[in-house]
Amino acid sequence: MRVLALDTATSACTVAVVDGESVLAELSLQVPRAHSTRLMPLVAQAIAESGLSKTDLDAFAVGVGPGSFTGLRIGLATVKGLAF
């Protein structure tokens, strides 16, 4: 199963693409209060580095804390939008 995983609960903005137990791409930035502008470029870069396309993904995962409310909301809203 190919999964795009996000974690925006802390000051680090992290995105990974995994296939089973293999990590195909992982990116992380320390960008306090900038997740909303940095997350989607990180997602695009991680998918490109994984060698997959958006349609190859089977599932999304997102960290649910503990962390800042705004950070959690950004991650959850992004994954919800991508799922649609």
Side-chain angles (χ1 to χ4, degrees):
M1 179 177 280
R2 297 175 181 140
V3 179
L4 173 69
L6 312 176
D7 189 0
T8 57
T10 65
S11 63
C13 185
T14 304
V15 177
V17 178
V18 298
D19 186 1
E21 293 186 20
S22 300
V23 177
L24 303 177
E26 181 181 9
L27 302 167
S28 185
L29 291 175
Q30 289 289 341
V31 287
R33 296 185 215 131
H35 292 18
S36 62
T37 60
R38 300 290 183 107
L39 183 57
M40 285 308 294
L42 275 182
V43 167
Q45 184 179 350
I47 292 171
E49 287 184 14
S50 73
L52 302 175
S53 69
K54 294 179 284 188
T55 58
D56 293 327
L57 298 171
D58 298 311
F60 301 104
V62 61
V64 293
S68 75
F69 174 76
T70 301
L72 293 169
R73 187 175 51 168
I74 290 167
L76 291 166
T78 299
V79 165
K80 185 175 181 179
L82 290 171
F84 283 123

